[in-house]
Amino acid sequence: MKTILAIHTGGTISMSQNENGEVVQNSDNPIAEQQVILNGKINLVTDEMFNLPSPHVTPAVMMKINDRIKQAMNEGIDGVVITHGTDTLEETAYFLDLTLPNTIPIVLTGAMRSSNEIGSDGLYNFQSAIKVAAADESYGKGVLVVMNDEIHTARYVTKTHTTNVATFRTPTFGPIGIVTHSGANYFQELIETEAVELDKVLDNVFLLKAYAGMDGTLFDAINQPTTRGLVIEGLGAGNLPPETLPAVQRLIDNGVPIVLVSRCYNGVAQDIYDYEGGGIQLKRLGLILCKGLNGQKARIKLLVGLSAGKRGQELVEFVNNAVS
Ligand code: ASP
């Protein structure tokens, strides 16, 4: 019988709707109390680590989850399920993907409807996540996100809808598998990338989104001695309005590594255009073009790379190996 560790961290999956229709936190997690399922085929160990709405989750919290999983790995656990608020679930998932060895299945899940709402998806998603974490087929797949019968990679999944239960999608590539009655079914393989060991996590890695008419104001505002790095969600294939460039140059001059992704939902940032502010010029300025990650994931990757002590060319290579 496989032993699966369920780490509960909070989010809608552990909340309920009150008599006024407001979704509120519970002191006792209704999901953790459920006797899950799978006909006694799984030995489920429960750790109610946190009870946080996911906008309250920080990289320091992610580090604590990382430490807890490492401890469980040393104790010979077969798989891990983490319940988490959906707002920042993709960031925690990717942080763990980048910082844990790819040895046992680690699956994150959550819910869009709280535990006592009609059509609540929490318990179902929790059961699906346990099925996936316990499946032999789930080894070597990196950290996974299971919601609404789909299996996504932590690297590319993103929350796409504010309330719909089918909110988690993998633009450009699609889910790598689906959950059926019999278990986990995979249809794609993930390209292996580097994971790093962290003993601390840094602050002050920022994320800015470009827009028509943007100037240097926001870039200058974050140009502080404490700033460690910046991710820009650029326009289209990876371009910026020309008025931003002097302030971007000032950040570069101060040694702040800047990663460029696209604000587009699909596709990758590339150095295609050679006009003022075009991707070719941005690359020449020293921006690191990161393929395939959205802004919040690129920020996690930059944060992890910097926290692991990577600088210069080593950092560029770490950020760039999202798609080999
Ligand atoms: N706001 C909630 C959270 O992330 C949303 C959810 O869990 O679905 O904590």
Side-chain angles (χ1 to χ4, degrees):
M1 187 185 293
K2 287 201 177 171
T3 300
I4 302 295
L5 169 66
I7 299 176
H8 297 287
T9 71
T12 298
I13 193 166
S14 59
M15 296 182 191
S16 305
Q17 205 170 42
N18 67 18
E19 55 285 359
N20 302 321
E22 300 153 345
V23 177
V24 294
Q25 288 172 271
N26 287 305
S27 48
D28 295 318
N29 184 337
I31 291 291
E33 285 160 11
Q34 290 281 350
Q35 274 314 306
V36 185
I37 316 152
L38 301 172
N39 313 324
K41 287 187 203 140
I42 305 285
N43 176 29
L44 194 67
V45 179
T46 299
D47 185 338
E48 296 190 50
M49 254 190 112
F50 298 104
N51 189 9
L52 294 170
S54 74
H56 298 198
V57 170
T58 61
V61 169
M62 297 174 196
M63 269 301 281
K64 285 189 181 145
I65 300 171
N66 172 302
D67 288 343
R68 178 67 185 91
I69 295 172
K70 274 198 210 128
Q71 181 201 328
M73 284 171 163
N74 291 336
E75 288 161 3
I77 209 93
D78 297 303
V80 179
V81 169
I82 303 157
T83 66
H84 196 290
T86 60
D87 292 352
T88 63
L89 185 150
E90 66 192 87
E91 283 155 273
T92 298
Y94 192 45
F95 181 91
L96 298 174
D97 191 54
L98 288 171
T99 56
L100 285 169
N102 189 6
T103 49
I104 59 167
I106 298 170
V107 181
L108 282 88
T109 193
M112 298 305 291
R113 299 182 186 134
S114 69
S115 60
N116 61 349
E117 286 179 65
I118 293 173
S120 171
D121 50 335
L123 188 58
Y124 184 82
N125 285 337
F126 186 42
Q127 175 174 265
S128 299
I130 294 168
K131 263 190 203 175
V132 171
D136 291 338
E137 299 84 354
S138 299
Y139 282 84
K141 298 270 189 291
V143 173
L144 299 168
V145 173
V146 169
M147 294 277 293
N148 201 37
D149 279 339
E150 290 185 344
I151 310 171
H152 296 264
T153 64
R155 198 182 299 165
Y156 298 123
V157 73
T158 192
K159 185 175 181 178
T160 65
H161 194 287
T162 51
T163 51
N164 194 307
V165 293
T167 183
F168 279 92
R169 304 267 180 196
T170 300
T172 310
F173 312 113
I176 63 164
I178 57 170
V179 186
T180 62
H181 271 270
S182 57
N185 299 267
Y186 291 96
F187 302 100
Q188 295 193 58
E189 283 295 328
L190 187 67
I191 297 166
E192 190 80 33
T193 57
E194 182 187 352
V196 296
E197 278 258 345
L198 290 190
D199 49 22
K200 62 169 184 328
V201 66
L202 300 176
D203 285 326
N204 298 326
V205 176
F206 298 111
L207 172 61
L208 291 179
K209 184 173 193 151
Y211 52 86
M214 189 182 204
D215 65 13
T217 309
L218 291 173
F219 295 94
D220 282 331
I222 61 154
N223 197 349
Q224 305 291 332
T226 48
T227 297
R228 316 258 192 185
L230 169 65
V231 174
I232 305 172
E233 283 188 19
L235 305 171
N239 311 302
L240 284 176
E243 293 75 17
T244 61
L245 297 179
V248 169
Q249 181 69 62
R250 285 192 279 280
L251 281 160
I252 299 261
D253 292 344
N254 285 346
V256 176
I258 305 181
V259 173
L260 181 71
V261 298
S262 174
R263 71 173 194 177
C264 291
Y265 171 74
N266 260 310
V268 298
Q270 299 165 72
D271 47 340
I272 297 177
Y273 293 99
D274 199 8
Y275 52 73
E276 216 193 337
I280 291 176
Q281 203 187 81
L282 298 178
K283 196 171 178 186
R284 237 183 266 131
L285 272 185
L287 272 66
I288 308 165
L289 272 67
C290 174
K291 286 189 197 154
L293 297 180
N294 65 22
Q296 56 271 30
K297 298 279 178 69
R299 196 194 84 87
I300 291 288
K301 190 154 208 192
L302 182 58
L303 178 79
V304 167
L306 288 165
S307 299
K310 294 183 187 294
R311 300 290 183 272
Q313 191 51 31
E314 213 196 342
L315 183 67
V316 173
E317 275 161 29
F318 180 71
V319 170
N320 268 332
N321 72 5
V323 178
S324 52

